Amino acid sequence: MNTAPVQAPAPASNPLEDPHEPHWVSRAAFPLLTLMLVINLAGIFFALFYNNYWVAIPLMLTASHLMHGNLIGFHEASHGMLRKSRFLNEVDGVLIGLLSNTSFSLYRAAHQTHHAHLSSERDEEFWPFVDPKQPRWFRVVAAVAELSCGLYVTPMVFLRTFLRKNSPIRSKKVRRRIWNELIFIVGFWTVTVALVAYFGVWKYFLGLYLVPGFIAGNLQAWRKYIEHVGLTGSTIRSATRSIVADSIMGRIVSFSLLHEPFHGVHHQRAGLPHAELPLHRADLMPVHEDDHPPFPSYWHAFLHLLGCLKDPQVGAQWRRAGAQK
């Protein structure tokens, strides 16, 4: 059994990636997705205004996918790679965090543990699945809760990282900023809900935000689980599911998710902008016995995940714990 720490392997030999620079469309994916989302929301508004729910409901579904793409933009901002301007990167991160009920500074600090301690017991992003001391029933309940109510449960996972005893977030400056962002989030939603109630515009609040946002939160949770849950390998390729879909629809999905499907590349090259991830797809090819080759679609990766949800685990520590029994 290989119990070596997770480490980024060397780039694959004989790379298959396109040697050219990414197309400007790929580099401009986030602003294009944001523009598409604004147009989509405008369509929902007018459909609701004229009480045409046959048009509004499909638009809510497409809006949820675009919101999911924006949530990945939140992830890119945490790496400082969403915008060239550091100020605009921070603004976008705080704004997306506000709409997804998550402190940007808190997410950034917790996400650092995910990269520094991938799938280990110190990976805060995947608690309780990284902790062999947590009972199976609790991990199953945690998975069901997050996969069915991600918009609210996922922020609680990060909040636990911040509030728990011996939190890895120790900087007083960072903790002060997190508190300020959390207070801002609570204040914003308190005022927003009060105004919605006062003016009686629940229909628009539900159609423009809550319904598509709730679905987007669940899509985010399912994608997060697809990327790591159920994998107990000790290398990046054995601890990560990646998707390489060469069909037209597969490329559209990858573009709309800021190439997050190339997730193993991101863990090997965390400082690489999202537009360049597909150029290093050859790095996803297995080099160890336990490594997982990339899946040809999210559907195949989803089916692989489903078999793991009856006992959700993350990390090689589960193998060690099993060997000690």
Side-chain angles (χ1 to χ4, degrees):
M1 180 177 62
N2 183 4
T3 59
V6 176
Q7 57 185 350
S13 59
N14 299 319
L16 302 176
E17 63 264 18
D18 186 343
H20 301 293
E21 288 293 319
H23 194 279
W24 72 265
V25 173
S26 188
R27 294 198 302 270
F30 181 71
L32 288 174
L33 289 175
T34 303
L35 176 61
M36 292 169 63
L37 177 59
V38 170
I39 295 172
N40 195 317
L41 293 176
I44 295 174
F45 174 83
F46 286 109
L48 293 176
F49 183 80
Y50 290 106
N51 295 317
N52 192 334
Y53 296 101
W54 290 106
V55 173
I57 291 175
L59 287 176
M60 290 179 198
L61 296 178
T62 55
S64 67
H65 178 72
L66 294 171
M67 287 180 176
H68 180 201
N70 272 261
L71 286 172
I72 298 175
F74 183 60
H75 163 264
E76 291 296 298
S78 75
H79 284 278
M81 297 187 299
L82 186 61
R83 299 267 205 149
K84 290 183 178 180
S85 166
R86 181 177 179 181
F87 173 75
L88 292 178
N89 190 87
E90 294 291 302
V91 169
D92 283 348
V94 171
L95 179 59
I96 299 172
L98 174 65
L99 296 174
S100 58
N101 305 310
T102 306
S103 160
F104 177 55
S105 298
L106 171 54
Y107 174 79
R108 177 163 49 196
H111 189 62
Q112 288 174 353
T113 71
H114 176 56
H115 278 272
H117 310 289
L118 176 63
S119 298
S120 76
E121 290 172 277
R122 298 173 65 184
D123 185 344
E124 298 286 337
E125 202 163 319
F126 280 92
W127 183 89
F129 313 115
V130 295
D131 186 358
K133 294 189 294 294
Q134 299 299 324
R136 175 182 173 183
W137 71 264
F138 178 70
R139 288 180 281 110
V140 170
V141 169
V144 171
E146 188 168 17
L147 292 172
S148 61
C149 196
L151 182 62
Y152 299 104
V153 174
T154 300
M156 292 174 61
V157 174
F158 294 109
L159 197 59
R160 169 197 170 271
T161 301
F162 179 58
L163 297 177
R164 75 173 178 83
K165 184 180 180 182
N166 298 323
S167 169
I169 307 172
R170 300 174 183 175
S171 167
K172 292 183 179 179
K173 180 179 179 180
V174 173
R175 292 186 68 87
R176 183 164 55 249
R177 174 167 174 171
I178 291 172
W179 275 119
N180 289 336
E181 290 177 7
L182 291 173
I183 292 170
F184 181 48
I185 291 171
V186 172
F188 172 81
W189 286 116
T190 299
V191 172
T192 297
V193 172
L195 290 174
V196 168
Y198 179 79
F199 290 105
V201 290
W202 289 105
K203 176 174 70 173
Y204 297 101
F205 179 70
L206 291 172
L208 293 170
Y209 171 73
L210 193 56
V211 172
F214 190 86
I215 296 173
N218 289 344
L219 291 174
Q220 163 78 8
W222 277 99
R223 182 188 51 74
K224 166 186 169 182
Y225 279 50
I226 283 174
E227 289 168 355
H228 295 292
V229 172
L231 302 182
T232 55
S234 56
T235 66
I236 287 177
R237 295 183 183 93
S238 62
T240 306
R241 294 186 188 91
S242 298
I243 291 88
V244 177
D246 287 325
S247 66
I248 294 176
M249 182 55 66
R251 293 187 180 190
I252 291 175
V253 170
S254 182
F255 170 82
S256 65
L257 297 180
L258 304 182
H259 300 301
E260 187 72 2
F262 294 87
H263 196 64
V265 177
H266 171 65
H267 272 286
Q268 294 178 37
R269 306 167 183 263
L272 204 65
H274 63 83
E276 298 181 24
L277 295 179
L279 304 183
H280 301 276
R281 57 188 289 175
D283 289 353
L284 298 174
M285 293 299 105
V287 295
H288 297 112
E289 181 180 355
D290 293 339
D291 289 351
H292 292 282
F295 290 82
S297 71
Y298 264 110
W299 177 248
H300 290 83
F302 170 76
L303 292 177
H304 190 266
L305 166 68
L306 279 185
C308 306
L309 290 179
K310 61 181 180 294
D311 186 13
Q313 304 173 359
V314 174
Q317 62 273 16
W318 286 96
R319 292 186 179 185
R320 295 192 292 270
Q324 294 172 0
K325 291 182 180 180

